[in-house]
């Protein structure tokens, strides 16, 4: 019998080598207690959270928690069914209405995760004989959506407007075309030139889908994302998002003004053939989304945090993913996996949690320490974080 697991041998070996060096497993951290959106107890120690995507700090919002508890009491712990059978409760409709109001769009469809939203929408609207033109650094859920639908995949160089145009012009006349972009790219924290890219896509007859997972709630006047900030949200055909970041719970969605959008509820397999989100989850999401509509002060504070951390890390001598802060993600580039893991552990020992990211998730084979800021990090905490980076950086030889 051939062992189907033998294909994983290279990664098993890499992992063993890393752990044999004595470093704590960076992909297996347990949070023993979570005290707030910015502090948890890890290894018995108070730890500042800087790697959670909890951008707007909604996870402990008292209104959000109360809504979840009420729904749990009134509707039970789960729906035990698909949206098209017994899985649509008033709460699902309410969260879809909250999304329509948040984005000022005609249609909203909620999925069980953001991963499934990309999987479902992309694979359903772009099938065999259609073309999907996508940024090469797209999230795994976008690639998996492309693969599931069997469309022709045409990747282009990250954020390169000319490359996108060239690829579009090479597609046979009359073929269905979908351009897939992200507002914020989560590895380096850089944003896309959506204005130019959407214009080029439209000029070449393509529909456009933008994944705003890392910008919802924070970027744009109303927190609708990079498409809003760049003034072209009305030209985007589909926006994909998630409840697992700024919204502070779990779930995914697509919003659109396409007149035929609702048919997706019958033809989109990752929507039809899976159980719907529990009532408590959709109640927390709806409450959170409505509160995010009115969060300009928090958005402003998050920008302050992002600018302060970016400037401070640069001053300490770290190499960062972007020259200027473009989002709430700040990536610190590490020379290699060993140094990255050592620095990750040194930060944890200092009392700071960040994400260690490595290929295939990262572009160009990079090892990154990814920091994601929260609107509830205080100025004092950002100061503490910089102090911890200075100490860990010197201890590991990353900075002088
Ligand atoms: C760009 C992007 N899209 C989609 C997702 C999937 O979101 P979810 O966690 O809701 O599955 C992520 C998650 O990290 C993401 O970064």
């Amino acid at each position: 019998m051939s062992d189907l697991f033998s294909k994983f041998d290279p990664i098993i070996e890499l992992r063993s080598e890393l752990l044999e060096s004595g470093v704590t497993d960076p992909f297996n951290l347990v949070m023993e207690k979570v005290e707030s959106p910015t502090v948890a107890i890890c290894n018995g120690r108070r730890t500042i959270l800087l790697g959670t995507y909890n951008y707007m700090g909604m996870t402990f919002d008292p209104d959000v928690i109360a809504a979840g508890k009420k729904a749990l009491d009134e509707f039970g712990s789960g729906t035990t069914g698909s949206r098209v059978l017994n899985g649509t409760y008033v709460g699902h409709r309410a969260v879809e209405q909250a999304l329509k109001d948040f984005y000022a769009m005609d249609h909203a469809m909620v999925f069980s995760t953001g991963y499934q939203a990309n999987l479902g929408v992309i694979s359903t609207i772009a099938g065999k004989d259609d073309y999907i033109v996508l940024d090469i650094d797209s999230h795994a859920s976008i690639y998996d959506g492309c693969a599931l639908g069997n469309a022709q995949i045409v990747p282009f160089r990250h954020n390169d407007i000319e490359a996108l145009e060239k690829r579009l012009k090479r597609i046979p006349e009359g073929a269905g075309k979908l351009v897939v972009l992200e507002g914020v790219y989560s590895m380096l924290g850089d944003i896309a030139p959506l204005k130019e890219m959407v214009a080029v896509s439209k000029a070449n007859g393509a529909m456009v889908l933008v994944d705003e997972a890392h910008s919802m709630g924070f970027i744009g006047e109303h927190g609708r994302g990079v498409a809003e900030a760049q003034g072209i949200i009305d030209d985007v055909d589909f926006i994909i998002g998630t409840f697992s970041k700024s919204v502070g719970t779990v779930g995914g969605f697509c919003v659109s003004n396409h007149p035929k959008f609702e048919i997706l509820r019958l033809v989109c397999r990752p929507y039809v053939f899976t159980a719907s989100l529990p009532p408590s989850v959709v109640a927390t999401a709806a409450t959170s989304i409505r509160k995010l509509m009115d969060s300009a002060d928090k958005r402003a504070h998050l920008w302050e945090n992002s600018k302060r951390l970016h400037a401070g890390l640069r001053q300490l001598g770290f190499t960062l993913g972007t020259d200027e802060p473009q989002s709430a993600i700040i990536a610190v580039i590490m020379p290699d996996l060993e140094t990255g893991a050592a620095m990750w552990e040194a930060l944890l020992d200092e009392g700071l949690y960040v994400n260690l990211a490595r290929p295939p998730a990262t572009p160009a084979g990079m090892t990154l320490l990814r920091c994601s800021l929260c609107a509830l990090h205080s100025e004092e905490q950002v100061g503490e974080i910089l102090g911890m980076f200075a100490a860990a950086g010197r201890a590991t030889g990353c900075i002088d």
Side-chain angles (χ1 to χ4, degrees):
M1 183 183 75
S2 67
D3 182 2
L4 293 168
F5 273 61
S6 56
K7 54 176 139 333
F8 306 126
D9 287 347
I11 189 153
I12 290 172
E13 205 172 308
L14 189 71
R15 186 167 182 271
S16 321
E17 271 172 26
L18 187 68
L19 296 184
E20 276 160 20
S21 75
V23 82
T24 310
D25 186 351
F27 307 112
N28 210 6
L29 180 82
V30 176
M31 302 209 181
E32 288 134 27
K33 190 171 186 312
V34 181
E35 294 187 346
S36 74
T38 62
V39 174
I41 305 296
C42 305
N43 299 329
R45 188 179 204 288
R46 175 186 176 271
T47 304
I48 297 182
L49 300 174
L50 191 67
T52 63
Y53 308 133
N54 196 352
Y55 301 122
M56 297 298 280
M58 299 306 284
T59 48
F60 280 78
D61 182 280
D63 297 326
V64 168
I65 290 182
K69 284 182 176 164
K70 186 165 180 283
L72 201 52
D73 286 341
E74 291 178 2
F75 292 93
S77 57
T79 66
T80 69
S82 153
R83 285 293 302 274
V84 293
L85 296 174
N86 52 307
T88 297
Y89 288 17
V90 283
H92 296 89
R93 287 279 163 78
V95 74
E96 285 171 346
Q97 189 58 51
L99 284 166
K100 288 192 266 183
D101 295 344
F102 184 90
Y103 283 99
M105 291 220 181
D106 295 341
H107 306 282
M109 192 166 151
V110 166
F111 292 78
S112 300
T113 62
Y115 178 91
Q116 276 168 272
N118 270 329
L119 202 65
V121 174
I122 295 172
S123 66
T124 309
I125 62 179
K128 195 170 164 296
D129 302 329
D130 295 324
Y131 286 77
I132 300 175
V133 186
L134 81 172
D135 189 294
I136 198 154
D137 288 351
S138 293
H139 189 259
S141 57
I142 292 174
Y143 276 103
D144 292 356
C146 295
L148 187 68
N150 252 323
Q152 298 285 330
I153 303 173
V154 187
F156 65 89
R157 206 169 75 148
H158 179 55
N159 273 352
D160 186 330
I161 303 159
E162 269 178 36
L164 165 64
E165 189 168 27
K166 264 193 209 149
R167 301 290 182 283
L168 279 167
K169 289 202 183 303
R170 270 191 225 141
I171 295 173
E173 190 102 0
K177 285 171 259 182
L178 177 68
V179 171
V180 180
L181 306 166
E182 292 179 32
V184 171
Y185 285 86
S186 66
M187 287 299 142
L188 296 177
D190 56 332
I191 60 168
L194 286 186
K195 189 171 182 187
E196 294 79 5
M197 289 188 152
V198 171
V200 160
S201 305
K202 293 282 148 174
N204 286 279
M207 285 190 160
V208 180
L209 178 150
V210 180
D211 181 332
E212 296 270 18
H214 293 273
S215 47
M216 182 198 184
F218 172 37
I219 296 181
E221 189 189 346
H222 302 93
R224 291 174 189 154
V226 177
E228 181 190 30
Q230 297 187 9
I232 45 90
I233 195 162
D234 291 339
D235 299 327
V236 174
D237 298 281
F238 309 96
I239 291 179
I240 295 284
T242 174
F243 297 160
S244 73
K245 307 191 193 308
S246 287
V247 178
T249 178
V250 66
F253 64 87
C254 180
V255 290
S256 174
N257 284 327
H258 196 290
K260 297 180 187 166
F261 185 79
E262 293 296 325
I263 198 62
L264 288 179
R265 293 188 197 273
L266 294 182
V267 295
C268 177
R269 294 167 69 90
Y271 176 86
V272 175
F273 293 102
T274 195
S276 64
L277 287 167
S280 54
V281 167
V282 284
T284 55
T287 308
S288 180
I289 291 163
R290 293 211 175 272
K291 290 193 86 164
L292 288 176
M293 289 184 204
D294 192 23
S295 295
D297 290 352
K298 280 169 91 177
R299 286 191 259 283
H301 182 68
L302 185 47
W303 273 122
E304 284 310 310
N305 282 348
S306 179
K307 286 178 194 159
R308 207 153 156 248
L309 185 67
H310 192 283
L313 288 172
R314 258 193 127 165
Q315 210 166 13
L316 285 171
F318 289 103
T319 308
L320 305 183
T322 56
D323 289 342
E324 299 293 329
Q326 296 184 15
S327 68
I329 299 170
I330 294 170
V332 183
I333 300 174
M334 291 285 110
D336 50 55
L337 178 60
E338 289 68 31
T339 317
M343 179 72 187
W344 179 87
E345 188 173 40
L347 285 171
L348 193 65
D349 290 344
E350 288 286 325
L352 182 66
Y353 173 70
V354 298
N355 303 137
L356 178 68
R358 57 173 301 275
T362 55
M366 281 191 253
T367 297
L368 304 172
L369 291 179
R370 231 151 32 114
C371 308
S372 47
L373 285 146
C374 174
L376 299 190
H377 280 126
S378 63
E379 211 179 313
E380 197 185 22
Q381 279 177 320
V382 178
E384 263 187 271
I385 291 167
L386 286 169
M388 291 166 174
F389 261 98
R394 286 185 192 119
T396 53
C398 287
I399 53 169
D400 299 330

